[in-house]
Amino acid sequence: MAGRSQDWLGKTVVVTGGSSGIGAQVVRQFAERGATVFNLDRDLRHPSDDLNNSGSSIVQIATDVSDPESVLKALEHVRSAAGIPDVLVNAAGIYPSHTLVTMEDENWSDVLNVNLRGPFLTMRWLARAVSGDHAVDRSNLNRRVINISSGAARTGRAGAGHYCASKAGLEMLTKVAALEFADLGIAVNGVAPGLIATPGTADLSPDFCEILVQGQPVHRFGESDEVARATLFLADPATTFITGTVIDVDGGFMAGRPLPVA
Ligand SMILES: NC(=O)c1ccc[n+]([C@@H]2O[C@H](COP(=O)([O-])OP(=O)(O)OC[C@H]3O[C@@H](n4cnc5c(N)ncnc54)[C@H](O)[C@@H]3O)[C@@H](O)[C@H]2O)c1
């Protein structure tokens, strides 16, 4: 895109779930800034068909993040094509609406496998790759992992039980990984969106969405690019002392429920 800086030229970024919604915006924003971006998604719609930037490239790899073999194959492909990635963004996620009573065992497993096991598999691969490469500079937080969490990690009123549990687990995994990976020069942080307009939320019930929108100080849906901007902030080479934290991008939802005007 004209006018964008090419700060990410020569850098390699992996985004899971980059074909749609928030992940697609993350792909787009890195690509516009010159990065080589690998989209690991089980559905390979092109995230940025209209992106016409000669300095950037987007590579698509069909991947099921819940499948260890699929993740390993995709990330080894990335390594052989472009080296160990500088940035890993875990955006792939599913959020079916079951209650604890209606959900079946496989619903629970599906959500936990995609939303929690997926980030574990990609983060473990990255840490092992860096550990095994003695040429890698580990003196600073040169590499970044950003996990796309959700306000549902910290409140039960923003999603189904399996979804809330998966995102709570992801935020804890983010903290543990931050502790373990600091010596590898990898910062691990999260971004927790509120209600964002994406293809993924298009099917949510309008009543549920209305309750959420009215329950936040900024009474509107957020946009994917607003979440992507926070993600790029956490990936920015200038943020050299931030790890183990989660930024809420939610119009104030987690700040509390606004009181009705008297
Ligand atoms: N949209 C919101 O309101 C919202 C709010 C909070 C958190 N989030 C989180 O943001 C992330 C993106 O959500 P979105 O609304 O953009 O969703 P979306 O449905 O628009 O996009 C999700 C992408 O993940 C991919 N995906 C799903 N399962 C996969 C798998 N097993 N392997 C590989 N790819 C897979 C899908 O193909 C899709 O391209 C999710 O982790 C979601 O939990 C979204």
Side-chain angles (χ1 to χ4, degrees), residues 90 147-154 163 167-168 170-171 190-193 246:
N90 284 305
N147 293 320
I148 306 301
S149 176
S150 168
R154 282 161 278 134
Y163 182 70
K167 294 298 186 179
L170 182 58
E171 293 200 357
V191 171
V246 177

Side-chain angles (χ1 to χ4, degrees), residues 6-252:
Q6 293 288 290
D7 295 352
W8 286 92
L9 209 57
K11 301 278 190 186
T12 303
V13 176
V14 169
V15 181
T16 73
S19 293
S20 174
I22 291 167
Q25 269 300 327
V26 172
V27 169
R28 173 187 296 272
Q29 291 193 15
F30 275 116
E32 285 173 350
R33 289 159 178 80
T36 298
V37 188
F38 290 83
N39 171 30
L40 275 51
D41 199 300
R42 66 181 176 188
D43 175 359
L44 291 189
R45 286 163 288 167
H46 198 292
S48 297
D49 282 332
D50 60 341
L51 194 67
N52 182 17
N53 184 337
S54 56
S56 69
S57 61
I58 299 170
V59 183
Q60 311 239 59
I61 308 177
T63 312
D64 178 353
V65 298
S66 66
D67 174 2
E69 275 185 33
S70 179
V71 170
L72 182 65
K73 200 171 151 202
L75 289 170
E76 288 301 333
H77 179 119
V78 172
R79 173 155 52 181
S80 56
I84 302 173
D86 301 288
V87 178
L88 164 65
V89 179
N90 284 305
I94 53 174
Y95 35 94
S97 51
H98 305 101
T99 69
L100 292 177
V101 175
T102 63
M103 80 175 63
E104 302 297 340
D105 292 351
E106 61 266 28
N107 305 134
W108 174 267
S109 307
D110 287 348
V111 171
L112 270 290
N113 283 339
V114 175
N115 296 3
L116 184 55
R117 189 186 198 198
F120 158 68
L121 293 171
T122 57
M123 286 198 290
R124 183 181 65 179
W125 179 89
L126 181 66
R128 287 180 174 175
V130 170
S131 304
D133 186 339
H134 296 294
V136 166
D137 172 17
R138 302 176 202 170
S139 56
N140 292 299
L141 294 175
N142 291 323
R143 284 195 164 69
R144 308 296 164 82
V145 175
I146 298 105
N147 293 320
I148 306 301
S149 176
S150 168
R154 282 161 278 134
T155 171
R157 72 185 173 103
H162 43 15
Y163 182 70
C164 294
S166 72
K167 294 298 186 179
L170 182 58
E171 293 200 357
M172 184 49 72
L173 192 64
T174 298
K175 290 179 196 293
V176 174
L179 300 183
E180 288 196 17
F181 297 177
D183 287 344
L184 298 172
I186 305 170
V188 187
N189 291 295
V191 171
L195 188 60
I196 309 297
T198 69
T201 50
D203 293 337
L204 292 178
S205 109
D207 288 348
F208 177 65
C209 291
E210 183 60 18
I211 289 168
L212 291 182
V213 163
Q214 292 311 322
Q216 69 196 25
V218 183
H219 298 304
R220 65 168 173 83
F221 277 68
E223 300 295 335
S224 294
D225 71 301
E226 295 176 303
V227 182
R229 271 184 254 136
T231 306
L232 265 78
F233 167 75
L234 288 170
D236 192 299
T239 59
T240 45
F241 206 51
I242 303 178
T243 193
T245 196
V246 177
I247 297 179
D248 292 328
V249 181
D250 64 355

